[in-house]
Amino acid sequence: MRILALILALATSALAERTVTFAWDSTADADSYTLYINGAPVASTSNTQITVQLPDARTNVNVTGVNIAGESEPSATLVVPPAPSIPKGFRISKIVRTTTATPK
């Protein structure tokens, strides 16, 4: 069984309500991707990005590639910190963090 070797460039864009879009580079062998949050699969897509709700806590995120041969090893873990507290009268419009992850 051939398992995918997956190299990802994960990017996150987060709004204060913890709706986060994750994006990654495609890999030629993947038919779809599965997003894991804190070790549990939460969404699958054939696209290279997905928007999900995150808990308001430190969150570990990984992505795997999937094809007929199976599922790749997870990407390196992206740690998303808890949402910052916002002083009264202020509003966060966008938080952006980019990291590059390589397989284990």
Side-chain angles (χ1 to χ4, degrees):
M1 174 185 283
R2 182 170 175 215
I3 301 296
L4 304 173
L6 187 61
I7 299 175
L8 304 174
L10 291 171
T12 64
S13 299
L15 300 176
E17 64 270 9
R18 301 288 284 175
T19 299
V20 180
T21 299
F22 294 95
W24 53 89
D25 293 337
S26 65
T27 183
D29 293 337
D31 296 325
S32 65
Y33 303 91
T34 301
L35 183 78
Y36 287 80
I37 295 178
N38 295 330
V42 295
S44 292
T45 181
S46 58
N47 299 315
T48 56
Q49 73 175 38
I50 195 162
T51 301
V52 295
Q53 289 289 121
L54 291 183
D56 190 17
R58 178 185 162 116
T59 306
N60 296 320
V61 179
N62 303 87
V63 177
T64 62
V66 180
N67 69 13
I68 195 166
E71 188 170 15
S72 72
E73 290 293 318
S75 65
T77 301
L78 174 67
V79 178
V80 180
S85 58
I86 303 168
K88 189 173 182 172
F90 287 89
R91 185 180 92 127
I92 295 177
S93 62
K94 193 172 194 178
I95 300 170
V96 177
R97 177 178 179 215
T98 302
T99 186
T100 300
T102 54
K104 296 177 183 178

